[in-house]
Amino acid sequence: MNKFSRRDFLKLAGSSIALGTIGNNMPQLFQNQEVVNNLDKFDHVVVLMMENRSFDNMLGYLYTPQNPPPNGQSFEGVAFGNHTNPIPSYADSAKFIDSIRTYPDSIMNNPNPDPGETYPHINTQLFGTVIPDTNRFLTTYNMFSPYNEPDPLPENIPMDGFVKDYINNFRATQGRMPTYSEYKIIMSCFPPTAVPVISQLAKSFAVCDNWHCAVPSQTFCNRAFFNCGSSWGYVNNEPYEKWLLNFQETIFERLENNGHTWRIYFDHKDIIPLTLLIHFPRLIKYASSNICNFENFEHDVEKGLLPKYSFIEPRLIFFHNDEHPPAPLIGSIVLPSSVLPGEQLISKVYNAIRKSNSSTGNNWKNTLLIITYDEHGGCYDHVPPPLAEPPYIFQPNTEMNFKFNRLGVRVPAVFISAYIKSGTVFSEQMTHTSVIKTMSDKWNLGHLTNRDLTSPSFVNIFNSTTPRPQEDWPVTVPRESEIEADKNYFLCEDLAPLQMDIIKLANAAAYGNQALPPGINAVEDGLDFLKQVKKDLKISYSCE
């Protein structure tokens, strides 16, 4: 992979700061009278961002030809076409079966093991290419340029490499080739009966079937884009110390500087929220005033004390409820990594807002809830990502030579508001920075980067002039999880790659590029280490 020197870091930071300053003086785009009128449909925005699921994987079967969306609306789901991926010639069963079609699946921890989710893997998934061919069975940071990206890019992205990449990544991470039954699951998608909470909310309010993540890669860069309109030229999580050179202003700071309230809510079992670590140099001074645990969110919703913007993290480490696919390694303790705990979290957040009834603060009528996912995580989706504006007018040198001129894969996005009609399918093209764009328009915040400046807002999703009565909001009932959360063996489970990424990011924040101490292998080890980091950095939260 490309190696970043200190000079490269500083060049990237300096260029981007200057460009951000220029960008803030540019005129706002895409504003009209209808947009302005719709901005009064909410006073509070709550975002719950889950992990690593594509739109098709979670909601592709939400509507079918036998059960179409109401009022003649169209829906870009997998049930409305013959969506397949070819099987490469070197795979098991390739001589007898040449392709796999999407199919409904109720195995709640599929795909298992975790698909590839870094930039080179996404290129293979989108374009079906492995360039050079020697990249085929290599892990990400052993791959070579151009990192599987074809040149020139095809005019129509085929979306036909998910099976190929799943097989290649399985071989690289598990040490053997998968069987047909093991790799066919990358084409599986949940039916509504398997994920009743998000499905019910998508049908009872609005589902966006055209929301793409910001970057065709993994967690850190997509979460960075969501809250500041840039990932500073990075497309992968590693190396971790690069995130300490975080020069881009966040939407949290912009709200703060304009007199608007915000909070980050996270599960206290994770010790340190990932959002704080990704934006550590900029947000650490707000830890004691603007970061709270999830129990505080429930209290604040009930008492009408929600800020203008609430960003909620799922639990990412101990018995994670983020819906991230499992990632077993050879010799590790392999436990289910079900989406059902995530369904329970979504239901808890929604029902708290549904029941809120403050006359002076937030309530069911003035709160907009957005449920979305940071990235597709390698799960299958059939819709090609569109082009996008780079964050900066003069894009500096970037990791793996990505130009930031195209979006990532579609992810689920569900909007809940009293001003949204039941059964709404919202098909305007949206992306992560549409949230920044919409809040910036409402509160006259100005833009952060060229990406959020040119992103569409979602104000047209409000299609009702009168609020839906509180008693007409559905009550969601999640399925029971297969495993209890209080079992001690979850502390003995091996840290998954994302969890280890978080540990190493915390290590970089506290100790620079010092190597991670040996012996941090299990969840309990990681949590103990995070407690030490929290102590050494003297982090305290307003909820403690």
Side-chain angles (χ1 to χ4, degrees):
M1 65 170 288
N2 292 351
K3 300 296 184 182
F4 272 43
S5 67
R6 178 174 174 82
R7 178 178 296 178
D8 292 329
F9 281 133
L10 296 177
K11 180 180 178 182
L12 178 61
S15 300
S16 303
I17 291 172
L19 291 168
T21 303
I22 294 172
N24 282 335
N25 294 320
M26 293 178 66
Q28 297 288 311
L29 301 180
F30 307 124
Q31 291 191 7
N32 54 52
Q33 188 61 38
E34 181 181 1
V35 168
V36 172
N37 288 342
N38 269 335
L39 289 171
D40 64 359
K41 298 300 189 294
F42 64 91
D43 294 320
H44 303 268
V45 178
V46 177
V47 171
L48 171 60
M49 176 167 274
M50 307 298 283
E51 278 281 327
N52 287 46
R53 296 285 173 173
S54 69
F55 183 89
D56 279 344
N57 182 246
M58 293 297 294
L59 296 172
Y61 284 98
L62 182 71
Y63 293 109
T64 66
Q66 297 75 33
N67 180 30
N71 304 319
Q73 298 174 102
S74 62
F75 177 73
E76 195 60 67
V78 293
F80 292 87
N82 183 26
H83 302 294
T84 65
N85 258 206
I87 299 173
S89 60
Y90 50 84
D92 175 60
S93 296
K95 293 181 180 179
F96 309 101
I97 307 171
D98 61 2
S99 63
I100 305 173
R101 189 182 183 208
T102 54
Y103 62 95
D105 179 14
S106 296
I107 300 176
M108 305 312 295
N109 62 331
N110 273 346
N112 181 10
D114 191 26
E117 58 190 72
T118 56
Y119 176 70
H121 285 289
I122 309 308
N123 283 333
T124 298
Q125 293 161 20
L126 300 185
F127 306 111
T129 52
V130 178
I131 308 172
D133 187 65
T134 51
N135 284 346
R136 181 180 296 174
F137 299 133
L138 298 180
T139 55
T140 296
Y141 301 103
N142 291 315
M143 290 187 186
F144 298 94
S145 179
Y147 308 105
N148 306 328
E149 182 185 47
D151 184 21
L153 294 178
E155 184 175 346
N156 298 309
I157 299 176
M159 308 297 284
D160 65 354
F162 286 85
V163 170
K164 177 185 288 186
D165 188 69
Y166 195 73
I167 292 170
N168 295 351
N169 188 62
F170 192 109
R171 172 65 176 79
T173 59
Q174 309 302 306
R176 63 174 177 83
M177 291 292 286
T179 64
Y180 174 77
S181 62
E182 287 175 322
Y183 68 72
K184 74 186 290 283
I185 61 175
I186 197 58
M187 300 298 289
S188 70
C189 307
F190 293 119
T193 53
V195 284
V197 173
I198 195 168
S199 298
Q200 182 180 12
L201 294 176
K203 286 186 173 182
S204 298
F205 293 92
V207 58
C208 180
D209 64 351
N210 199 10
W211 183 301
H212 292 258
C213 67
V215 184
S217 193
Q218 57 186 154
T219 292
F220 290 3
C221 51
N222 272 294
R223 286 181 175 264
F225 255 93
F226 196 95
N227 282 317
C228 74
S230 171
S231 63
W232 322 296
Y234 312 142
V235 293
N236 297 310
N237 292 352
E238 296 184 45
Y240 306 101
E241 60 269 17
K242 68 191 179 187
W243 297 98
L244 299 179
L245 293 165
N246 179 342
F247 52 82
Q248 179 61 57
E249 182 185 8
T250 66
I251 188 62
F252 305 114
E253 297 165 279
R254 186 62 63 87
L255 286 164
E256 183 81 20
N257 294 334
N258 283 269
H260 299 292
T261 54
W262 60 274
R263 274 188 173 180
I264 297 167
Y265 296 95
F266 79 111
D267 194 302
H268 70 279
K269 295 185 184 69
D270 278 349
I271 313 301
I272 304 175
L274 177 56
T275 306
L276 172 61
L277 292 173
I278 292 175
H279 305 279
F280 189 79
R282 303 201 66 105
L283 295 186
I284 181 59
K285 65 181 179 181
Y286 299 107
S288 62
S289 57
N290 294 76
I291 295 179
C292 289
N293 61 41
F294 185 75
E295 287 76 11
N296 279 82
F297 170 77
E298 295 176 296
H299 171 270
D300 291 348
V301 172
E302 180 183 2
K303 302 299 182 182
L305 299 175
L306 279 186
K308 294 296 185 182
Y309 179 41
S310 302
F311 185 78
I312 304 175
E313 285 188 15
R315 191 170 57 250
L316 299 167
I317 299 180
F318 175 77
F319 189 67
H320 62 100
N321 59 6
D322 55 4
E323 300 190 349
H324 196 296
L329 301 174
I330 294 175
S332 70
I333 299 173
V334 180
L335 295 171
S337 184
S338 173
V339 301
L340 293 183
E343 281 270 287
Q344 295 171 345
L345 175 62
I346 293 171
S347 181
K348 186 176 292 187
V349 171
Y350 161 74
N351 282 313
I353 292 173
R354 176 183 64 83
K355 293 184 289 186
S356 61
N357 201 24
S358 171
S359 60
T360 57
N362 63 276
N363 54 54
W364 59 273
K365 186 166 60 174
N366 64 15
T367 302
L368 169 66
L369 171 61
I370 303 169
I371 302 162
T372 189
Y373 293 67
D374 63 340
E375 40 135 336
H376 80 295
C379 298
Y380 175 75
D381 196 82
H382 77 278
V383 175
L387 298 177
E389 288 292 326
Y392 308 110
I393 300 170
F394 304 104
Q395 185 67 41
N397 293 335
T398 56
E399 199 171 31
M400 291 189 168
N401 302 316
F402 181 56
K403 297 178 176 62
F404 290 88
N405 58 355
R406 52 187 170 91
L407 297 178
V409 177
R410 274 195 319 172
V411 293
V414 175
F415 292 80
I416 293 97
S417 167
Y419 292 93
I420 295 176
K421 295 178 181 178
S422 179
T424 297
V425 178
F426 188 61
S427 296
E428 293 184 27
Q429 182 186 304
M430 296 289 130
T431 185
H432 284 350
T433 43
S434 293
V435 179
I436 298 176
K437 173 66 175 179
T438 306
M439 291 195 296
S440 295
D441 285 352
K442 179 175 177 64
W443 290 305
N444 194 28
L445 303 176
H447 69 281
L448 298 175
T449 71
N450 201 44
R451 174 65 68 84
D452 64 273
L453 170 66
T454 56
S455 293
S457 76
F458 48 72
V459 291
N460 289 329
I461 201 165
F462 302 106
N463 53 12
S464 177
T465 57
T466 57
R468 185 191 312 190
Q470 188 179 25
E471 58 269 21
D472 289 351
W473 287 42
V475 177
T476 56
V477 180
R479 296 170 56 194
E480 292 186 7
S481 179
E482 307 99 323
I483 297 178
E484 297 178 22
D486 59 353
K487 297 290 186 181
N488 287 332
Y489 54 58
F490 280 103
L491 293 173
C492 301
E493 184 180 10
D494 283 2
L495 288 162
L498 174 60
Q499 296 165 337
M500 186 61 80
D501 283 346
I502 296 171
I503 303 300
K504 291 180 178 179
L505 181 58
N507 180 68
Y511 314 116
N513 60 3
Q514 178 178 308
L516 191 70
I520 300 178
N521 302 306
V523 168
E524 185 173 24
D525 305 327
L527 294 176
D528 287 342
F529 180 74
L530 288 175
K531 291 174 184 176
Q532 187 62 49
V533 168
K534 181 174 180 285
K535 179 181 178 181
D536 289 347
L537 290 175
K538 300 179 181 179
I539 298 174
S540 62
Y541 307 120
S542 59
C543 56
E544 291 182 323

